[in-house]
Amino acid sequence: MANQKALIYNLRDVDKTSVNLVGGKAANLGELTSIEGIQVPAGICISTDALENLVLASPVINSLIAQLSSVQPADKENIAALSSEIRKALETTTIPPELAEELTLHLDRLGASDAYAIRSSATAEDLPTASFAGQQDSYLNIIGLGSILQHIARCWGSLFTERAIIYRMQHGFEHRKVRLAVIIQKMVFPQAAGILFTADPVTGNRKIVSIDASVGLGEALVSGLVNADNFRVSNGEIIGRTISTKQVAIYAAITGGTTQQSIEPQHQNSPSLTDKQVIQLEQTGRKIEAHFGSPQDIEWCLVDDGLYIVQSRPITTLFPIPAASDAANHVYVSVGHQQMMTDAMKPLGLSFYLLTTPAPMRIAAGRLFVDVTTMLASPTSRDIVIGALGKSDPLIKDALLTITSRENFLPVLIGDQLPSKPKSFSPAPVQADHDPAMVRELIAKTQASIAELKETIQTKSGTELFDFILEDLQRLKQFLFDPQSLALINAAMDASSWINQKMYEWLGEKNAADTLTQSVPNNITSEMGLALLDVADVIRPYREVIQYLRQATNENFFAGLDILRGGAESREAILDFLNTYGMRCAGEIDITKARWREQPTALVATILSNISNMEPGESNRKFEQGKVDALNKEQGLLNQLVQLPGGKEKMEETKRKIDLLRNFSGYREYPKYGMISRYFVYKQALLKEAGQLARENILTGRENCFFLSFQEFREVVRTRTVDHALIKERKADFKNYEKQTPPRVITSDGEIITGTYIRENLPAGALAGLGVSSGVIEGRARVILNMEAADLAEGDILVTAFTDPSWTALFVSIKGLVTEVGGLMTHGAVIAREYGLPAVVGVEHATTLIKDGARIRVNGTDGYVELL
């Protein structure tokens, strides 16, 4: 650790504990000097204190930096003006004499007439959670004290480039808290230079080293002036290479600075590295990675067969690998893509889901993944798993097929190692004479159990509450995996598949089951969307109530309603809705998410949209019209079938399947509704405990309990002590997880396997997806990532990342649906079919490729979206 009183330090005297003093880049260089066999050019570092002292002594610079705090990232004009003024002030300032004297002494020891690289090193740079790569400036081949002093000032100024300012704003770093040091390092003059990643930056595979290389200084490569040679290496073997045409290179100029030189034609396609040098680089990269304990992004220079490392920083873009208990190969499938909730979950939310599911789960970046390795390794279960997941998401299916086609990745199972038929993917036995009354019985049984739970949980507190919840979770599992319940759901799913297959085979009609599922009975989720239309009907006549809702807050949502004309009626209508559906919210599988009952303002935008876009009585009209459309479709199909050879038998069998479909497809939504209802009861009781802990000053806020696992929370209640540092760390981790995008499929090597749609005859420029609800519709795209911000007009097409049941409230206002995540039997697809909305799901990057307000055509029959 460096002596914190000096202003300049030798790189050999700093390490990872010196970040606040010398910045991330210099701290990492100091670490590199301690690794045996790693060569780092000699150098020094001007500490962060030097710039801080300079700023403190300048009222002008202080004032300009203060002004940045009131500017928004979108205000590019003001940012540009302030950036220019701050940089000018820093670059023209006189460097304090004591700093110049200390620098002179150090340069005399290193070689006063030698050439140096001058580089910035910020405290918010090269960190595990944010690289800040390229935010500050570097200068090469600087010769002489005067020029070095000038470029030190320029490095200081680079802390306030427009790009650096905006980046800090977007990532939540305060401008004054990011400090900057300056590295002065002896120049090396390489024959080749480049970047080495100890994990494949494209796929994330941790077992592959990727090396970009070019001749001369690495500046040509970093600046994009030349295309790099690329070498991919694994365990000492070069597994891929791309040799680019290199027409120019950058070299050091004799008088200082750099110069661009043309490469002779006969050398333009020569590799910049020999195979021996490539393997040497891989070995060096692995040694550095082992020292830092994580995948690294390394800058290197090759000088007369000597290898110098000039930078190493963590690769911050990699998705974490789900933890395994062994070193064997594993394949993980995202739960979020199945549950229509790819957001990061807090620890308590993860705990509850793990306590609820029987599947072998792993956690990474606040997301859940199912380990399907054993099921894929067995020929018996492989087809079942891939088939089931493929129905839900073709991109997952394609990714899994890619893995199963590889040699030696999956284990070879024999005898007792073979898994039993996977229960979660096995259809329950289907009886042709299922009685519709069974649905009503199952719903009544669930409701009675939840009512009993609400009553009993009131008598529990302390650790007894936690033990009671664990017991009740077993009852929840019995409801979720009840054989009779699963049989009804599978009966409807099988009927839907049968109808679609046979109607296409016999009549040439695609997706016939879609219309037949409109306005089915007992669909708690679609009923919710219609119920919110009824709420709008109550409020619509009262202008004062509408104005009140526009300004309402969650804390006092109902406080001022009663004094308004129509206020009492409106309050009663909203409360009736919340009594039935208030446990729902976006991302509801995470128990820590705020429920509508807790944040009723989440519904306001949808209620107001319904008031504006719908006529009174729309709920009943929409449901009745759906029934008519379904009945007409049924009659039309049966009339056509009876005219075919064997028509009577075909018609009778089809009629039986249609009855199964209509009687039981709505029930599919109910088990999850029951689960979320129970979750909310648990949550209310647990928050009561957390509130008591907060009053005793054990927790600093009751919602801090969300950053504890279920068992950790129980232990805090038992011991009345909590690890505040752990909660703080998890909050920081969660903030980072929120920025990450989970893959559908990832391996234990960290490789993200991306599937593709196998599709022919798509219109030019169309975005491929999975058609889950038939029909074609054109309209205005509304790209909405947050339900609370929904501003829809009649005829709009909703484009979003994913829709769970809570989004159903918006479906009554739209004419079509496009999502990035989804499958044939996920909630958005089911409700889209019931409402008769053309829908395409699984459209990769839809929310960025489709612009808000753009005109699009959604083809839910063939599964694509056109930008018009």
Side-chain angles (χ1 to χ4, degrees):
M1 174 66 189
N3 171 4
Q4 296 200 20
K5 292 182 180 178
L7 288 176
I8 300 179
Y9 302 94
N10 193 294
L11 289 177
R12 292 192 304 272
D13 297 330
V14 299
D15 57 26
K16 62 186 177 184
T17 66
S18 311
V19 171
N20 201 46
L21 193 63
V22 297
K25 190 180 297 178
N28 286 353
L29 284 170
E31 284 288 325
L32 288 166
T33 63
S34 69
I35 306 174
E36 186 178 351
I38 299 299
Q39 295 188 87
V40 178
I44 56 177
C45 183
I46 299 174
S47 78
T48 55
D49 289 336
L51 175 58
E52 190 163 304
N53 294 342
L54 191 73
V55 170
L56 288 173
S58 171
V60 172
I61 297 174
N62 253 310
S63 172
L64 290 169
I65 294 173
Q67 291 177 49
L68 283 176
S69 62
S70 61
V71 179
Q72 297 301 313
D75 191 354
K76 303 288 175 57
E77 191 175 330
N78 266 335
I79 290 172
L82 286 168
S83 167
S84 176
E85 289 187 64
I86 296 170
R87 293 190 73 179
K88 184 178 178 182
L90 285 168
E91 290 173 14
T92 57
T93 192
T94 301
I95 290 183
E98 63 273 17
L99 178 60
E101 288 172 15
E102 193 176 343
L103 177 61
T104 302
L105 290 173
H106 280 278
L107 289 176
D108 285 342
R109 294 190 199 109
L110 287 170
S113 59
D114 288 347
Y116 292 89
I118 317 293
R119 298 192 290 163
S120 308
S121 178
T123 53
E125 182 177 39
D126 296 354
L127 303 178
T129 57
S131 75
F132 280 71
Q135 296 299 309
Q136 280 79 52
D137 291 343
S138 297
Y139 302 97
L140 302 180
N141 200 31
I142 307 304
I143 302 170
L145 179 62
S147 187
I148 289 172
L149 291 173
Q150 180 184 20
H151 286 87
I152 289 169
R154 286 187 183 176
C155 280
W156 286 338
S158 71
L159 185 61
F160 294 97
T161 62
E162 293 174 49
R163 183 183 172 197
I165 290 168
I166 292 171
Y167 191 90
R168 287 195 295 272
M169 287 176 171
Q170 291 172 338
H171 288 78
F173 286 87
E174 292 182 32
H175 300 295
R176 289 188 183 277
K177 289 190 177 178
V178 178
R179 309 172 79 210
L180 189 84
V182 179
I183 300 165
I184 302 166
Q185 206 171 6
K186 274 201 168 186
M187 271 292 292
V188 292
F189 302 98
Q191 286 82 48
I195 302 168
L196 180 156
F197 298 95
T198 63
D200 189 319
V202 177
T203 67
N205 194 325
R206 311 305 201 263
K207 291 186 177 178
I208 293 175
V209 166
S210 178
I211 300 167
D212 285 346
S214 191
V215 293
L217 294 169
E219 184 67 17
L221 190 155
V222 174
S223 65
L225 186 64
V226 298
N227 292 323
D229 293 344
N230 177 260
F231 303 89
R232 298 172 76 245
V233 197
S234 182
N235 295 320
E237 179 185 354
I238 300 173
I239 59 174
R241 71 178 79 215
T242 302
I243 307 303
S244 300
T245 301
K246 297 168 283 292
Q247 296 180 332
V248 296
I250 292 180
Y251 294 99
I254 296 174
T255 56
T258 59
T259 182
Q260 182 176 312
Q261 295 181 18
S262 297
I263 297 174
E264 295 177 1
Q266 66 268 32
H267 298 307
Q268 287 181 1
N269 293 303
S270 299
S272 48
L273 295 172
T274 65
D275 286 4
K276 182 181 177 182
Q277 290 166 342
V278 170
I279 301 305
Q280 180 191 3
L281 274 165
E282 183 209 19
Q283 293 168 348
T284 300
R286 290 298 183 208
K287 183 183 285 190
I288 294 170
E289 178 184 62
H291 177 85
F292 285 106
S294 66
Q296 296 289 299
D297 167 356
I298 299 164
E299 293 183 17
W300 54 269
C301 297
L302 191 67
V303 185
D304 299 327
D305 284 337
L307 189 60
Y308 287 87
I309 304 301
V310 294
Q311 186 164 321
S312 186
R313 57 174 168 248
I315 304 175
T316 59
T317 55
L318 297 173
F319 194 85
I321 303 173
S325 56
D326 56 42
N329 290 337
H330 290 268
V331 182
Y332 305 102
V333 173
S334 164
V335 173
H337 286 80
Q338 306 297 303
Q339 288 292 332
M340 300 302 96
M341 211 292 279
T342 55
D343 291 346
M345 295 169 69
K346 296 185 180 78
L348 189 62
L350 292 167
S351 268
F352 265 93
Y353 202 88
L354 289 170
L355 288 167
T356 306
T357 179
M361 295 280 178
R362 298 290 182 269
I363 297 172
R367 276 81 171 190
L368 290 164
F369 292 82
V370 183
D371 187 343
V372 295
T373 313
T374 306
M375 289 180 278
L376 290 179
S378 162
T380 308
S381 58
R382 180 185 305 148
D383 292 342
I384 295 171
V385 171
I386 293 178
L389 290 171
K391 281 184 182 178
S392 170
D393 190 328
L395 295 177
I396 290 179
K397 176 181 179 180
D398 190 59
L400 294 179
L401 289 172
T402 298
I403 292 170
T404 55
S405 68
R406 292 178 176 175
E407 292 183 12
N408 304 322
F409 186 83
L410 293 168
V412 177
L413 302 181
I414 54 173
D416 294 341
Q417 293 177 313
L418 290 169
S420 57
K421 201 173 185 181
K423 293 180 181 178
S424 55
F425 297 110
S426 304
V430 177
Q431 303 170 16
D433 58 346
H434 281 314
D435 183 355
M438 293 164 65
V439 172
R440 294 191 291 274
E441 290 169 10
L442 285 168
I443 290 174
K445 199 163 126 184
T446 302
Q447 289 175 337
S449 177
I450 292 170
E452 182 185 350
L453 166 65
K454 287 179 178 178
E455 186 175 333
T456 308
I457 206 167
Q458 299 298 323
T459 66
K460 310 294 180 182
S461 63
T463 56
E464 187 185 8
L465 168 65
F466 289 79
D467 297 338
F468 171 74
I469 289 173
L470 284 175
E471 290 175 18
D472 194 74
L473 280 166
Q474 299 309 309
R475 285 186 281 274
L476 169 58
K477 288 183 186 180
Q478 289 171 6
F479 282 106
L480 288 176
F481 306 110
D482 180 286
Q484 187 181 53
S485 177
L486 294 175
L488 298 185
I489 292 169
N490 281 313
M493 291 172 63
D494 291 344
S496 177
S497 297
W498 187 94
I499 290 167
N500 282 334
Q501 180 186 339
K502 293 299 182 182
M503 294 310 100
Y504 186 69
E505 178 185 330
W506 293 337
L507 302 175
E509 182 157 349
K510 291 182 180 179
N511 305 329
D514 289 1
T515 305
L516 295 171
T517 55
Q518 290 185 30
S519 298
V520 293
N522 300 311
N523 189 321
I524 190 72
T525 306
S526 62
E527 288 168 1
M528 176 178 70
L530 299 175
L532 207 56
L533 284 173
D534 293 335
V535 173
D537 283 353
V538 173
I539 297 171
R540 186 178 284 106
Y542 306 114
R543 189 179 298 177
E544 286 180 315
V545 173
I546 294 171
Q547 189 58 36
Y548 174 89
L549 290 177
R550 288 196 175 104
Q551 300 168 1
T553 62
N554 288 312
E555 293 74 20
N556 302 292
F557 190 79
F558 296 106
L561 267 178
D562 282 349
I563 62 172
L564 303 175
R565 190 176 72 87
E569 297 90 332
S570 299
R571 178 169 57 80
E572 185 178 349
I574 295 171
L575 283 173
D576 282 347
F577 178 87
L578 292 176
N579 286 337
T580 307
Y581 305 107
M583 77 295 291
R584 311 213 85 152
C585 67
E588 61 190 14
I589 63 169
D590 181 356
I591 197 172
T592 71
K593 293 268 190 179
R595 311 283 134 173
W596 290 339
R597 169 68 80 170
E598 296 166 310
Q599 288 190 356
T601 55
L603 295 169
V604 168
T606 307
I607 292 171
L608 295 178
S609 175
N610 288 345
I611 290 170
S612 300
N613 299 329
M614 301 295 172
E615 295 294 326
E618 182 67 21
S619 169
N620 185 62
R621 270 197 307 277
K622 190 175 278 288
F623 188 77
E624 291 302 318
Q625 184 59 53
K627 285 170 63 176
V628 170
D629 290 345
L631 181 60
N632 289 341
K633 185 70 173 180
E634 177 181 338
Q635 289 302 318
L637 293 173
L638 299 180
N639 289 340
Q640 291 180 75
L641 288 171
V642 79
Q643 298 173 39
L644 300 176
K648 185 172 183 293
E649 292 79 9
K650 289 176 179 175
M651 181 195 72
E652 289 173 351
E653 182 62 15
T654 301
K655 173 60 177 169
R656 280 194 294 273
K657 297 294 185 182
I658 291 173
D659 288 347
L660 282 173
L661 179 68
R662 289 198 59 79
N663 286 335
F664 303 130
S665 62
Y667 174 71
R668 183 188 180 281
E669 295 290 305
Y670 203 86
K672 186 174 184 181
Y673 172 80
M675 180 181 94
I676 299 305
S677 297
R678 275 187 133 82
Y679 270 19
F680 188 45
V681 177
Y682 303 153
K683 181 183 183 182
Q684 288 173 302
L686 289 171
L687 281 176
K688 188 175 177 182
E689 287 294 320
Q692 181 58 37
L693 291 171
R695 284 189 291 276
E696 294 175 26
N697 294 318
I698 296 166
L699 288 177
T700 54
R702 68 175 193 161
E703 293 192 355
N704 278 353
C705 72
F706 295 161
F707 294 93
L708 300 169
S709 71
F710 183 83
Q711 290 298 340
E712 288 169 344
F713 189 4
R714 184 188 188 280
E715 193 64 10
V716 170
V717 169
R718 186 184 72 83
T719 63
R720 316 312 278 182
T721 60
V722 66
D723 185 343
H724 293 288
L726 177 67
I727 290 176
K728 184 179 179 181
E729 180 185 337
R730 286 183 177 170
K731 283 183 175 181
D733 288 343
F734 181 74
K735 195 172 181 180
N736 183 44
Y737 296 157
E738 285 184 297
K739 301 170 188 172
Q740 296 183 298
T741 302
R744 284 175 165 82
V745 177
I746 186 171
T747 72
S748 49
D749 294 339
E751 182 181 7
I752 293 172
I753 312 291
T754 54
T756 56
Y757 288 105
I758 302 168
R759 195 77 58 75
E760 296 178 359
N761 304 319
L762 276 184
L767 307 178
L770 176 65
V772 294
S773 184
S774 293
V776 179
I777 192 73
E778 291 183 15
R780 179 179 69 155
R782 293 311 317 272
V783 180
I784 297 172
L785 302 180
N786 182 345
M787 181 184 160
E788 296 173 35
D791 181 15
L792 295 163
E794 189 173 2
D796 282 347
I797 297 169
L798 174 62
V799 180
T800 191
F802 57 82
T803 61
D804 63 5
S806 68
W807 285 74
T808 303
L810 298 181
F811 282 25
V812 295
S813 301
I814 60 175
K815 291 292 184 270
L817 174 68
V818 179
T819 69
E820 295 178 335
V821 176
L824 193 62
M825 293 309 296
T826 49
H827 300 281
V830 171
I831 305 305
R833 287 194 291 273
E834 177 156 346
Y835 283 173
L837 303 173
V840 180
V841 302
V843 181
E844 297 254 73
H845 311 298
T847 58
T848 52
L849 294 173
I850 300 172
K851 302 304 178 187
D852 186 46
R855 198 156 179 78
I856 63 173
R857 180 185 296 124
V858 177
N859 189 319
T861 305
D862 294 321
Y864 60 83
V865 180
E866 292 177 273
L867 310 179
L868 302 179

